[in-house]
Amino acid sequence: MTQSPELNDASPSTDDLLNELRWRGLLHQITDEEGLGKLLSSGPQTIYIGFDPTATSLHVGSMMQLMMLRRFQRAGHRPIALVGGATGMIGDPSGKSEERNLLSAEQLQLNVDGVAAQMRRFLQFEGEDGFEGKNGALLLNNFDWMQGYSYLEFLRDVGKNFPVGTMMGKESVRSRLNSEAGLSYTEFSYMLLQAYDFVHLSREHGCRIQAGGSDQWGNITAGIDLGRRMTGQQLFGLTAPLLTTSDGKKMGKTENGAVWLDPERTSPYAFYQYWVNVADDDVMRCIAYLTEIEKDEYDELAERTEQSAGERAAQKRLAQWMTTLVHGEEGIESAQRATQILFGGELGNTTDDQLREIFADVPSCDISQDQIDGDGLWIVEALQLAGLCSSGGEARRSVKENSIYLNNCRVTDEQKRVVGSDFDGRSVIVLRRGKRKYALLKLVAGAAN
RNA sequence: GGGGGUUUGCCCGAGUGGUUAAAGGGGGCGGACUGUAAAUCCGCUGGCUAUGCCUACACAGGUUCGAAUCCUGUAGCCCCCA
């Protein structure tokens, strides 16, 4: 069942790449499909996708793009992950708070470093240990070539080649002009920067293909136009559909915010759970867009989802594939172990260490020995300390509602005191409210809190 | 500038002097059911170690034994006249 998504798996040949992208539904728009096909089969090509280095971690929203690059790399092409250090510095000038959008050079470097580390899960970079191929991925930062580019020079080289009329015709520009927010000159210029990236990469790295989400179509075609004007060379663009849920929302968002790839921000368990909980209507699309699960298995999973949705075979497979890719074997194992305990009930003889690991990303509070000595700690108070209830009234209520569990055993007595024996030889107590809200009480030496 | 209306708990929205911590709905939180789902059904939804006490119906003051409900002033929103 466990199939490690290694890059060294048998790769589809160049000729098959477009077919694969096609059955996966990843081809939203292509500038010149026939021409691109010819280009790809003429030999290894270079393709780039831009990423915004807005944080030290990528999130689920970037995964389609990373997988796209990965698919090209597996087919023998060279991927370039371009981080937008320059464009990120300009940011989104929404008006009032100018200070919040400016990324400092140091922060930018931190972000780039963090993001680059995560990209290694998806791509094999040039010079990386054990990678022999000639198509090692490159990580480039447009800040490197933009920072020394003077405004005057830029206007003469690039701006000159941008007919305002054409830009005004772009959907991305028009919709903003009609909106209340309007469009600032800086935002308007954003397109020029991104277009120039493409030209720069085509010159310096022979990169003739840019991919991206369908929202990037305008920027990509702007780059292609600029390339034709500045170099006379034909460039190609393709976009993938945006990954949205069946009710039209962006994937990768939860009540708690984005689902990150960084295990410090989103634990492997939470990451795994996110995919397990994908709606039936969305799961096959996720598998097609985000994984390398082959057509045969895809069809089989689609069939099983159709026949016995309750089994959620597709969700589990998706979660397993994604978690293994992002968090490795250890990640998927701990996520699955945690899932068992968190949904299975019985703590049984789970050891202290295992408990602490399983509940690692669950809120906890420290309590001291003297708090459980004597009469012990009143359950109502414990629930508040643990953050499961925000007031005493709410805590009493939830006990009355039969929703409180101590070490996964239901608490029915409102007067229950937590005492030493509840620790059952361990150093933590698992409190739970409802089906899935957990908190830990950790016994620590010394004074309370 | 003049006249009229409105302001309720997380949100919407009843309530016009007396069990009103405030109907109803939404949301949220639980429970049952289930697929860790959707739908459905049921309960809870100001605070307090609590048969009681405190704080709440824009804000401040007043009338009353008693006010979210009446009066005055202040502020916000809406409409009409100029």
Side-chain angles (χ1 to χ4, degrees):
Chain A
M1 177 80 179
T2 303
Q3 190 181 323
S4 169
E6 282 302 311
L7 267 178
N8 324 350
D9 290 359
S11 303
S13 77
T14 293
D15 295 337
D16 289 338
L17 179 60
L18 283 179
N19 283 333
E20 158 136 23
L21 296 181
R22 199 170 290 121
W23 84 252
R24 289 187 179 278
L26 285 171
L27 298 181
H28 184 70
Q29 285 159 300
I30 308 182
T31 52
D32 174 3
E33 186 160 358
E34 204 187 319
L36 180 62
K38 277 188 196 148
L39 181 70
L40 287 173
S41 48
S42 72
Q45 295 300 319
T46 301
I47 177 173
Y48 100 89
I49 298 181
F51 296 85
D52 272 336
T54 49
T56 55
S57 171
L58 294 164
H59 51 82
V60 162
S62 306
M63 292 184 77
M64 288 227 2
Q65 268 48 263
L66 286 170
M67 287 306 299
M68 180 67 87
L69 288 182
R70 182 178 157 109
R71 292 181 211 284
F72 273 83
Q73 185 169 40
R74 288 188 65 184
H77 304 288
R78 180 198 292 277
I80 296 177
L82 174 70
V83 296
T87 34
M89 279 198 118
I90 287 170
D92 178 18
S94 48
K96 300 152 200 164
S97 51
E98 327 175 346
E99 73 285 350
R100 91 171 207 265
N101 296 317
L102 296 174
L103 284 174
S104 67
E106 302 85 70
Q107 186 58 52
L108 194 65
Q109 192 54 47
L110 284 177
N111 292 353
V112 170
D113 290 347
V115 160
Q118 292 171 347
M119 285 181 173
R120 285 181 211 294
R121 289 286 188 180
F122 293 80
L123 304 171
Q124 297 205 292
F125 284 89
E126 199 164 68
E128 198 172 303
D129 285 349
F131 182 65
E132 317 262 292
K134 293 196 166 119
N135 58 332
L138 298 180
L139 180 70
L140 302 177
N141 185 345
N142 62 12
F143 184 72
D144 292 339
W145 59 83
M146 286 314 301
Q147 63 175 329
Y149 211 149
S150 86
Y151 188 54
L152 278 180
E153 271 180 278
F154 188 78
L155 288 180
R156 289 172 59 102
D157 297 348
V158 178
K160 187 169 57 101
N161 290 302
F162 263 84
V164 169
T166 314
M167 286 182 71
M168 300 296 281
K170 301 252 180 203
E171 178 56 34
S172 52
V173 172
R174 242 183 350 193
S175 63
R176 280 297 299 275
L177 280 179
N178 293 331
S179 81
E180 211 162 298
L183 186 68
S184 76
Y185 176 73
T186 302
E187 281 176 295
F188 189 66
S189 312
Y190 205 87
M191 185 181 284
L192 305 222
L193 294 179
Q194 196 167 326
Y196 178 70
D197 285 341
F198 201 177
V199 173
H200 176 88
L201 292 175
S202 73
R203 282 173 171 163
E204 301 296 316
H205 298 278
C207 174
R208 299 182 62 189
I209 311 167
Q210 181 181 181
S214 60
D215 57 338
Q216 290 301 307
W217 181 251
N219 291 330
I220 291 172
T221 53
I224 291 172
D225 288 343
L226 183 65
R228 191 177 44 244
R229 288 165 199 271
M230 287 180 74
T231 70
Q233 189 177 40
Q234 185 185 2
L235 301 177
F236 297 85
L238 68 126
T239 60
L242 294 178
L243 182 57
T244 55
T245 60
S246 50
D247 47 343
K249 299 193 190 87
K250 272 187 192 164
M251 286 286 301
K253 290 268 167 67
T254 69
E255 330 64 89
N256 304 323
V259 179
W260 299 94
L261 303 197
D262 180 353
E264 297 297 316
R265 296 188 190 224
T266 301
S267 72
Y269 166 74
F271 185 84
Y272 179 83
Q273 282 294 319
Y274 177 77
W275 298 110
V276 167
N277 282 307
V278 167
D280 294 350
D281 288 345
D282 301 324
V283 66
M284 293 317 298
R285 210 151 15 92
C286 286
I287 289 179
Y289 288 177
L290 296 169
T291 75
E292 279 160 4
I293 289 168
E294 309 271 342
K295 185 86 170 81
D296 289 350
E297 191 183 354
Y298 174 92
D299 289 338
E300 190 192 321
L301 288 169
E303 175 75 13
R304 277 169 80 181
T305 299
E306 186 87 11
Q307 297 304 314
S308 53
E311 201 187 335
R312 284 177 311 139
Q315 278 91 340
K316 286 175 186 161
R317 182 72 174 99
L318 170 68
Q320 181 236 341
W321 200 94
M322 299 297 288
T323 310
T324 305
L325 176 67
V326 174
H327 297 296
E329 288 299 330
E330 327 80 64
I332 183 67
E333 274 165 30
S334 82
Q336 285 174 333
R337 200 177 318 128
T339 295
Q340 262 185 338
I341 295 281
L342 262 49
F343 292 97
E346 296 291 307
L347 290 193
N349 43 20
T350 316
T351 66
D352 207 53
D353 287 347
Q354 283 172 325
L355 268 192
R356 280 178 180 261
E357 189 213 312
I358 289 168
F359 291 97
D361 55 330
V362 144
S364 67
C365 91
D366 297 339
I367 61 171
S368 64
Q369 185 63 46
D370 54 88
Q371 280 177 291
I372 56 166
D373 281 343
D375 282 350
L377 181 64
W378 189 26
I379 186 74
V380 167
E381 222 165 291
L383 288 167
Q384 289 177 84
L385 284 174
L388 288 178
C389 297
S390 55
S391 73
E394 189 178 310
R396 287 156 173 269
R397 219 179 292 131
S398 43
V399 174
K400 279 197 203 102
E401 284 172 332
N402 283 334
S403 63
I404 298 304
Y405 299 77
L406 192 154
N407 285 340
N408 277 356
C409 295
R410 184 169 269 168
V411 175
T412 51
D413 179 10
E414 203 181 290
Q415 296 307 321
K416 161 77 187 164
R417 322 285 306 193
V418 178
V419 292
S421 61
D422 289 317
F423 279 88
D424 204 14
R426 291 184 279 254
S427 68
V428 294
I429 280 183
V430 180
L431 283 178
R432 179 178 132 206
R433 178 179 181 197
K435 284 186 176 121
R436 289 183 224 169
K437 281 218 292 266
Y438 285 88
L440 286 193
L441 293 182
K442 289 184 186 168
L443 186 60
V444 294
N449 301 315

